[in-house]
Amino acid sequence: MGHNWNVDDEFELDATPEEVWQAIASGPGIDSWFMGVSDVEPGVGGSVTTDFGGFAQRSEITAWEPARHLAYTSEPSPDGRFIAFEYLLEAKDGGTTVMRQVATGFLPGDDWEAEFEAMVTGGLMYTRTLRSYVDHFTGRFGVPVSAMVQHPDFDRAWAGMRADLGLPSETAEGDRVTLTPTGLAPITGVIDYLADGYLGVRANDALYRFYRGFFGPGLGHHVFTDGADRTGLEAEWLAWLDSAVA
């Protein structure tokens, strides 16, 4: 038996509604904080299509009011699975924006609870990534860098990732850290998301995201340096991930 679900959140962003709209309603904007690579065909009846690396999800746009209201719903799978997003923007004094973000969907099967828990926690990470992007990188577009591997023991894989990053055992959101991934340049930044099996670090030129995952350990970064080579970066980070969880 499946489960209908709903997650509703509201927060203030240090950007105008027009700037927030660019982040949520354009391909380059979505690529700067969400997973995969996205393309947007604007307008009601248009689409948001996201390529997750071999699997593309198309969502139909059902509401399109620039700088005010955006909604889109994925095409349901044969078992009824779908996900829908809605964004409501309200301008505030001082050039800020209050955004309400609503996610709804359906998970099939009797074992939906574990997937739902992982999805909600991961969703919170991407909501925080959106907030970090809009608050700190408005006007810049990032290159998405993704990698994921299969592993029989997610907890052991996560412990290996943390150890190789040199992450202290006692950490909290807001802490300044220096990550030292083997074979890659050190990363200095601020922890902007931390949960069981999830780590987000905001650096001057990138948003770094690491996760234990529900289907396997992985990462999803957004790099804002000029000329960033997505293919090369993904190869480097995949090699690191393979080594860290071995």
Side-chain angles (χ1 to χ4, degrees):
M1 184 174 188
H3 178 69
N4 290 295
W5 58 270
N6 176 284
V7 178
D8 195 329
D9 198 4
E10 184 174 288
F11 42 85
E12 188 165 350
L13 297 165
D14 188 18
T16 66
E18 290 76 17
E19 290 170 330
V20 178
W21 182 261
Q22 184 72 8
I24 63 175
S26 72
I30 298 172
D31 288 351
S32 298
W33 62 272
F34 194 55
M35 66 181 79
V37 178
S38 293
D39 179 70
V40 176
E41 180 185 341
V44 173
S47 62
V48 177
T49 302
T50 302
D51 186 340
F52 296 102
F55 164 70
Q57 176 176 281
R58 183 186 183 278
S59 299
E60 181 178 351
I61 296 173
T62 56
W64 181 276
E65 300 177 53
R68 293 184 59 192
H69 185 199
L70 172 67
Y72 51 91
T73 304
S74 70
E75 297 174 344
S77 62
D79 58 10
R81 180 190 297 267
F82 79 94
I83 187 168
F85 294 98
E86 182 174 24
Y87 302 91
L88 297 163
L89 310 180
E90 179 184 355
K92 305 298 288 187
D93 292 341
T96 64
T97 301
V98 170
M99 181 170 82
R100 182 182 177 195
Q101 180 185 34
V102 182
T104 57
F106 176 77
L107 291 173
D110 294 331
D111 57 348
W112 60 266
E113 291 179 273
E115 185 178 353
F116 176 70
E117 182 179 350
M119 183 176 63
V120 168
T121 308
L124 288 173
M125 181 182 72
Y126 280 104
T127 295
R128 184 60 60 87
T129 307
L130 169 60
R131 295 174 65 177
S132 290
Y133 169 59
V134 171
D135 286 349
H136 298 279
F137 295 96
T138 295
R140 301 169 66 184
F141 293 127
V143 172
V145 176
S146 302
M148 187 177 75
V149 298
Q150 298 295 318
H151 196 281
D153 187 333
F154 293 168
D155 289 336
R156 184 164 65 86
W158 179 241
M161 292 167 68
R162 285 183 59 109
D164 195 276
L165 290 172
L167 191 70
S169 57
E170 297 295 328
T171 53
E173 288 188 11
D175 285 354
R176 190 163 185 83
V177 295
T178 297
L179 307 180
T180 55
T182 300
L184 298 169
I187 297 165
T188 298
V190 175
I191 296 177
D192 62 350
Y193 185 72
L194 187 64
D196 183 22
Y198 294 86
L199 169 68
V201 174
R202 186 188 77 247
N204 289 334
D205 59 359
L207 294 167
Y208 294 97
R209 300 297 184 257
F210 304 88
Y211 57 85
R212 180 179 58 197
F214 182 73
F215 298 104
L219 55 88
H221 306 330
H222 305 275
V223 179
F224 296 92
T225 53
D226 292 337
D229 174 16
R230 178 173 173 243
T231 300
L233 288 169
E234 287 190 339
E236 291 176 358
W237 277 105
L238 179 59
W240 171 82
L241 187 58
D242 273 329
S243 174
V245 304

